[in-house]
Amino acid sequence: MTAFKREFKFDKDIKKKISNNIKKYRLEAGITQEQLALDIGKSYDFTRRLEFKQGEVGCSIDTLYKISVVLNTRIDKFLE
């Protein structure tokens, strides 16, 4: 079987979108960064940087899943 390089268009700003959407849905839920941090088992500084740095700080899929549960938001909504 022959393999060849396929071309895909990857969104270079996906981490920024995720960061902005976490903040958006957190605010809609009326939850503070501190409460979100407590609920997902992370430090307040982590959640603050996750939103403030807008994509410079990433998170694992496990953390994103926990955030989606806490904010009662489907995980795919963070990618839009």
Side-chain angles (χ1 to χ4, degrees), residues 17-79:
K17 285 181 183 179
I18 292 170
S19 174
N20 289 335
N21 283 324
I22 288 171
K23 182 176 182 178
K24 171 187 168 184
Y25 291 115
R26 178 185 60 76
L27 291 173
E28 284 180 8
I31 297 173
T32 64
Q33 289 177 336
E34 186 175 26
Q35 185 62 54
L36 178 61
L38 185 63
D39 291 341
I40 65 171
K42 295 288 185 181
S43 69
Y44 163 71
D45 190 54
F46 172 80
T47 56
R48 181 189 61 76
R49 286 183 294 119
L50 185 60
E51 290 181 9
F52 179 73
K53 295 282 187 172
Q54 295 190 335
E56 292 179 32
V57 174
C59 66
S60 69
I61 191 70
D62 292 336
T63 300
L64 189 59
Y65 167 73
K66 289 177 183 178
I67 292 170
S68 74
V69 170
V70 170
L71 299 182
N72 194 30
T73 303
R74 290 188 345 247
I75 201 165
D76 64 304
K77 299 299 266 179
F78 296 109
L79 303 174

